[in-house]
């Protein structure tokens, strides 16, 4: 049985899925592959079938989180790579990340250097991500974003966690952070579920690492400067899930330290939504309606916390740690 399973959740990704599958098949390490299709209507399913890739086709869009949870119930492996269908792995990607986790059982996840492209045919425009970091305002960021491809960090470094476009996880870690029966939080539906995984893992004492030499390409449509062209539903969930993240995971002493930075940023978010993105106004009331469920999850998460507030505070920095 392969030690790694690659899980790809799709929704109308016919244009890129073929290249993504081919890059998984080209890895030197044998990987199981499972695609969960969230009711695509554009021929995504046909692309997978033409390549003989295992695909589970859903009648309704369950969302990104629920689809990955479903995939986890269908597979058994030591490691899990959640891969976006608009990403392409370079040779050696899986091997490098697997070697890093094999070397240290306290490492629960890893990220490589993901380069940003406009097409999976390339060429790279710059660095997309070398892992995630968190600002004191609780706005997540992409490490080394927009640096030149030649500037990929060349040494292993501790990180808050991997960006979900190509996130490598130890399955034991995913099981350890399960809350109320769920690994990926299905209330999130999509957007920021990768940040939530990273945050819960840090609270449980799992380490995450950036691994040089593990390269991938990724088309990132939701990024600064392009917000207005993004599907309004993605923008809505992006705003709403910011508050779900903090309700569930934030440690009270660190929250007290940073309350004014968080407040200033939220004033800016509200003003932007009110003036320029009224389709996201409902995100605030939606987050409020979910408060009781998030507080229930918070009680479970904080009761199981293995690190103190000081250890968590280092991940919320301005400028960010290793950012």
């Amino acid at each position: 049985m392969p030690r790694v399973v690659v899980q790809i959740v799709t929704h109308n990704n016919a244009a890129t899925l073929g290249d993504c599958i081919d890059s998984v098949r080209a890895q030197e390490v044998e990987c199981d592959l499972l695609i969960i299709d969230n009711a695509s209507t554009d021929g995504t399913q046909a692309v997978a079938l033409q390549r003989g890739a295992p695909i589970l086709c859903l009648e309704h869009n369950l969302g990104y989180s629920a689809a990955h949870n479903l995939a986890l119930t269908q597979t058994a492996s030591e490691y899990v790579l959640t891969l976006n269908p608009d990403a392409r792995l370079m040779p050696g990607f899986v091997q490098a990340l697997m070697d890093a986790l094999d070397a240290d059982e306290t490492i629960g996840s890893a990220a490589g250097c993901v380069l940003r492209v406009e097409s999976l045919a390339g060429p790279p425009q710059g660095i997309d991500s070398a892992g995630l970091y968190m600002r004191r305002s609780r706005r997540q960021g992409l490490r080394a974003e927009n640096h030149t491809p030649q500037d990929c960090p060349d040494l292993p470094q501790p990180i808050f966690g991997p960006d979900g476009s190509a996130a490598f996880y130890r399955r034991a870690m995913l099981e350890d952070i399960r809350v109320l029966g769920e690994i990926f939080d299905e209330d999130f539906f999509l957007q920021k579920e990768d940040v939530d995984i990273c945050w819960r893992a840090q609270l449980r004492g799992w380490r995450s690492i950036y691994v040089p030499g593990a390269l991938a390409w990724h088309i990132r449509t939701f990024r600064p400067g392009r917000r207005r062209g993004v599907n309004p539903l993605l923008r809505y969930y992006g705003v709403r899930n910011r508050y779900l993240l903090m309700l569930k995971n934030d440690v009270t002493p660190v929250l007290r330290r940073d309350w004014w930075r968080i407040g200033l940023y939220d004033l800016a978010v509200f003003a932007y939504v009110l003036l320029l993105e009224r389709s996201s106004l409902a995100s605030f009331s939606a987050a409020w309606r979910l408060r009781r469920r998030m507080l229930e999850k918070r009680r479970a998460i904080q009761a199981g916390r293995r690190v103190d507030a000081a250890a968590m505070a280092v991940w919320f920095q301005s400028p960010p740690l290793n950012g």
Side-chain angles (χ1 to χ4, degrees), residues 135-138 242 257-267 317-318:
R135 300 175 176 91
R136 292 179 67 173
S137 66
R138 302 309 188 262
R242 164 178 169 80
R257 182 197 72 176
D258 295 334
W259 68 268
W260 65 274
R261 293 178 185 268
I262 296 168
L264 284 176
Y265 183 72
D266 282 330
L267 283 174
Q317 297 292 339
S318 301

Side-chain angles (χ1 to χ4, degrees), residues 88 90 113-128 146-152 215-219 223:
R88 177 181 173 184
M90 297 296 106
C113 190
V114 181
L115 304 181
R116 186 170 295 170
V117 294
E118 298 299 329
S119 161
L120 292 188
Q125 306 298 309
I127 296 176
D128 185 61
N146 295 325
H147 290 201
T148 66
Q150 294 76 26
D151 290 333
C152 279
L215 296 177
W217 292 1
H218 178 227
I219 303 169
R223 64 185 197 249

Side-chain angles (χ1 to χ4, degrees), residues 163-207:
D163 173 66
S165 60
F168 196 80
Y169 301 116
R170 189 185 298 274
R171 188 181 289 259
M173 184 213 77
L174 293 176
E175 291 295 339
D176 185 57
I177 66 171
R178 187 188 290 271
V179 177
L180 303 185
E182 296 177 357
I183 295 175
F184 287 86
D185 191 327
E186 297 182 14
D187 285 318
F188 278 48
F189 193 77
L190 54 83
Q191 291 295 316
K192 303 188 192 299
E193 70 293 315
D194 54 343
V195 183
D196 181 55
I197 291 282
C198 299
W199 205 330
R200 284 187 279 138
Q202 289 289 343
L203 289 166
R204 291 287 286 171
W206 288 98
R207 297 170 56 215

Side-chain angles (χ1 to χ4, degrees), residues 4-9 20 24 32-34 64-65 67-69 71-72 75 77 79-87 89 93-94 97 109-111 114 162-171 173-174 183-184 193-195 197-198 216 218:
V4 181
V5 62
V6 180
Q7 298 184 177
I8 303 173
V9 171
C20 181
V24 173
D32 274 343
L33 173 64
L34 179 60
Y64 184 88
S65 295
H68 271 304
N69 283 340
L72 288 167
T75 60
S77 62
Y79 300 121
V80 177
L81 172 64
T82 60
L83 184 64
N84 280 9
D86 57 359
L89 305 180
F93 183 89
V94 172
L97 297 180
S109 62
V114 181
D163 173 66
S165 60
F168 196 80
Y169 301 116
R170 189 185 298 274
R171 188 181 289 259
M173 184 213 77
L174 293 176
I183 295 175
F184 287 86
E193 70 293 315
D194 54 343
V195 183
I197 291 282
C198 299
H218 178 227

Side-chain angles (χ1 to χ4, degrees), residues 249-283:
N249 299 311
D250 225 322
V251 178
T252 302
V254 190
L255 191 63
R256 287 180 182 144
R257 182 197 72 176
D258 295 334
W259 68 268
W260 65 274
R261 293 178 185 268
I262 296 168
L264 284 176
Y265 183 72
D266 282 330
L267 283 174
V269 169
F270 183 75
Y272 180 89
V273 168
L274 183 64
L275 298 173
L276 300 172
E277 193 177 293
R278 298 183 70 86
S279 62
S280 294
L281 272 174
S283 61

